[in-house]
Amino acid sequence: MVNVTFVLASGARLPVEIDEGESAREAALYNDVPGIDGDCGGACACATCHVHVDPAWIDRVGRLPPDSMEGQLLQFAEGATANSRLACQIRMTDRLNGLILHVPEQQY
Ligand code: FES
């Protein structure tokens, strides 16, 4: 199992566990984390799973090349920053155990 903590816009922290190989989107949805909709089912087509990777973790998760499909989609996400990623594209591995993701105040 891999641990990931979602920090809501309110400041509330929601620690959850997920099997290795699942995505951070699935970690959120399986544990009813509010603010992560994931409307397209994880197909990198909706950006409703937008998260801000905690600065302490961004190098390990990886920043996006802006010309990637994910980067292009994030250009339209509300409040996207240099630390933005789509949770459906973050594959949870032991290397990301302890990951902290901040949930935006809104996805639209
Ligand atoms: S679930 Fe749609 S882009 Fe991540």
Side-chain angles (χ1 to χ4, degrees), residues 51-86:
V51 291
H52 299 281
V53 178
D54 191 87
W57 286 91
I58 190 64
D59 288 340
R60 198 169 293 195
V61 171
R63 295 181 198 275
L64 284 176
D67 57 349
S68 66
M69 185 173 168
E70 183 182 355
Q72 289 177 13
L73 198 55
L74 277 167
Q75 290 176 8
F76 301 101
E78 178 81 20
T81 68
N83 283 15
S84 290
R85 291 293 308 267
L86 296 177

Side-chain angles (χ1 to χ4, degrees), residues 25 38-49 73 86 88:
R25 168 194 176 271
D39 290 341
C40 74
C44 195
C46 71
T48 62
C49 64
L73 198 55
L86 296 177
C88 68

Side-chain angles (χ1 to χ4, degrees), residues 11-32:
R13 299 172 74 86
L14 301 177
V16 305
E17 287 185 332
I18 189 76
D19 288 333
E20 278 193 64
E22 300 276 21
S23 71
R25 168 194 176 271
E26 289 155 334
L29 294 186
Y30 293 170
N31 292 283
D32 298 322

